[in-house]
């Protein structure tokens, strides 16, 4: 028989220094069990308290925290409120690292919070110039690199909707997903690295764009430096030429449940099904998980091994709202 597992308990000091303990104290709960019970029995009060604890900024306050609570299919959270997910991820300024990227090929890049804000503003201005507006879809066919996060934040800051796939997907895998959502702009890498090799995806991108008529502009990120960014696409532009230097950072307030991300089911039972997540729900749920359950705080480093084709990438990037430095590995 195997030996009994060793039980671990944090010290009293560690418990009392945690965000979970602070939140319990503010909520008037003596222990985790009572906090859990309160969160279920008075969920509206719980989520309102969490928003206050995590400094969620509403451009317009809610008329009701929970409307129509008796019908789960028709319940409305934070009805009438407005906010922006990207604004919360970019609210910190300064020289603290926001992103630290490591590539399989040995590359390393780092962006401070100020540098990230500048680059998001530049790409957002490029999107506006390309005609992207509230409710439009923007797609990313990208590795887990800084440009993916920059493009996502630029998109969602405008009130447009982001969706992404990993660059190792084939043509059919990409078209089955992006073809359903009709993106106006596609961000793509020219290639990626795997198992010590450079994988050129330019021909894949050309076939994807030829199959999705809604794509008006393709922005090519020079991720694989030994490959050109040139394609046979008339609507293609290099990342550095798309961005508008010196643009001001601005955010469009949107309704609490305004679409933020479009993700997809696995595709094991036919064409992948679209799964929509909203600005407010994504923000407050990820803040709860990061702040309370994993005790993420300013200055911490947060890493999750994921591609941009898995929902854990979306979970990872929300760590910026809790003040974490994100560690990216492609």
């Amino acid at each position: 028989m195997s030996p009994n597992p060793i039980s671990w308990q944090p010290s009293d000091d560690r418990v009392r220094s945690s965000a979970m303990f602070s939140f319990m104290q503010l909520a008037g709960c003596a222990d985790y069990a009572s906090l859990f019970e309160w969160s279920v029995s008075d969920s509206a009060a719980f989520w309102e308290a969490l928003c206050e604890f995590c400094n969620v900024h509403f451009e317009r306050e809610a008329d009701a925290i929970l409307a129509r609570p008796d019908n789960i299919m028709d319940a409305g959270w934070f009805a009438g409120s407005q906010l922006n997910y990207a604004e919360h991820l970019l609210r910190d300024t300064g020289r603290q690292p926001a992103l630290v990227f490591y590539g399989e090929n040995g590359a390393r890049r780092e962006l401070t919070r100020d540098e990230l804000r500048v680059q998001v503003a530049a790409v957002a201005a490029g999107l506006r110039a390309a005609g992207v507006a509230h409710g439009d879809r923007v797609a990313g066919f990208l590795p887990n690199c800084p440009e993916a996060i920059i493009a996502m934040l630029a998109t969602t800051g405008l009130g447009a909707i982001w969706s992404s796939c990993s660059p190792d997907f084939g043509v059919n895998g990409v078209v089955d997903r992006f073809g359903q959502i009709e993106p106006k702009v596609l961000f793509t890498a020219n290639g990626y690295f795997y198992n010590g090799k450079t994988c050129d995806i330019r021909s894949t991108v050309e076939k994807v764009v030829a199959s999705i008529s809604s794509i008006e502009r393709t922005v090519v990120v020079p991720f694989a430096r030994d490959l050109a960014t040139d394609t046979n696409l008339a609507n293609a532009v290099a990342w550095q030429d798309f961005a508008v230097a010196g643009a001001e950072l601005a955010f469009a307030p949107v309704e609490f449940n305004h679409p933020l991300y479009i993700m997809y089911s696995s595709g094991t039972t036919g064409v992948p099904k679209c799964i929509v997540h909203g600005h407010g729900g994504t923000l407050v749920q990820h803040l709860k998980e990061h702040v309370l359950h994993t005790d993420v705080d300013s200055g911490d480093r947060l890493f999750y091994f994921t591609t941009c084709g898995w929902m854990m990438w979306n979970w990872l990037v929300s760590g910026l709202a809790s003040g974490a430095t994100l560690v990216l590995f492609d």
Side-chain angles (χ1 to χ4, degrees):
M1 295 180 62
S2 60
N4 291 328
I6 297 173
S7 177
W8 176 85
Q9 291 289 333
S11 67
D12 287 344
D13 287 345
R14 180 68 184 89
V15 169
R16 292 178 179 278
S17 67
S18 69
M20 181 71 82
F21 184 82
S22 297
F23 185 67
M24 285 167 47
Q25 297 296 107
L26 289 173
C29 297
D31 51 30
Y32 183 82
S34 59
L35 176 66
F36 177 82
E37 175 60 30
W38 174 63
S39 74
V40 175
S41 62
D42 194 353
S43 54
F46 168 80
W47 287 106
E48 184 176 26
L50 180 84
C51 287
E52 183 176 348
F53 186 73
C54 294
N55 298 314
V56 174
H57 169 68
F58 290 95
E59 192 69 25
R60 185 184 186 281
E61 294 293 333
D63 299 323
I65 303 302
L66 176 56
R68 304 174 299 280
D70 297 329
N71 183 354
I72 191 172
M73 300 302 295
D74 191 43
W77 287 100
F78 293 87
S81 68
Q82 291 185 336
L83 77 175
N84 188 282
Y85 170 83
E87 182 176 10
H88 287 80
L89 272 63
L90 291 168
R91 57 186 169 184
D92 289 343
T93 60
R95 299 179 61 82
Q96 174 82 10
L99 308 176
V100 179
F101 166 77
Y102 295 90
E104 184 189 288
N105 64 336
R108 184 188 187 280
R109 284 189 283 155
E110 187 172 308
L111 284 177
T112 67
R113 295 194 175 272
D114 284 347
E115 289 168 340
L116 178 59
R117 288 167 58 88
V118 166
Q119 294 201 29
V120 169
V123 174
L127 287 170
R128 282 193 294 269
V132 173
H134 183 279
D136 286 336
R137 279 76 62 206
V138 174
F141 188 39
L142 294 164
N144 184 12
C145 60
E147 287 82 4
I149 294 179
I150 292 164
M152 179 278 291
L153 290 169
T155 297
T156 58
L158 295 175
I161 306 162
W162 176 260
S163 187
S164 57
C165 288
S166 175
D168 59 328
F169 282 27
V171 175
N172 291 340
V174 179
V175 174
D176 283 349
R177 290 164 173 80
F178 293 163
Q180 298 183 67
I181 68 170
E182 299 181 339
K184 181 175 284 189
V185 173
L186 173 68
F187 287 91
T188 180
N190 57 346
Y192 64 96
F193 303 98
Y194 179 72
N195 198 25
K197 298 178 181 178
T198 302
C199 302
D200 188 341
I201 63 169
R202 288 174 294 175
S203 63
T204 300
V205 173
E206 291 167 5
K207 293 172 185 175
V208 167
V209 173
S211 300
I212 303 176
S213 61
S214 65
I215 298 175
E216 299 176 5
R217 184 66 56 86
T218 303
V219 183
V220 184
V221 176
F223 186 75
R225 298 290 178 176
D226 51 340
L227 297 176
T229 55
D230 297 339
T231 70
N232 293 320
L233 298 171
N235 68 354
V237 59
W239 170 269
Q240 60 271 22
D241 297 325
F242 181 78
V244 180
E248 291 188 10
L249 187 63
F251 304 99
V254 297
E255 294 179 356
F256 187 85
N257 63 348
H258 178 72
L260 168 73
Y261 290 134
I262 301 175
M263 290 178 262
Y264 307 91
S265 64
S266 63
T268 53
T269 57
V271 175
K273 311 318 187 276
C274 294
I275 305 168
V276 181
H277 291 251
H279 274 247
T282 301
L283 177 66
V284 299
Q285 174 66 16
H286 286 175
L287 281 170
K288 175 174 72 79
E289 294 179 8
H290 288 151
V291 174
L292 297 188
H293 293 290
T294 53
D295 208 35
V296 170
D297 198 357
S298 179
D300 287 339
R301 297 204 168 195
L302 180 61
F303 171 71
Y304 204 99
F305 184 66
T306 182
T307 71
C308 295
W310 189 25
M311 56 89 184
M312 289 308 300
W313 180 83
N314 309 79
W315 183 91
L316 170 66
V317 299
S318 290
L320 289 170
S322 300
T325 295
L326 306 186
V327 179
L328 313 177
F329 177 76
D330 176 66

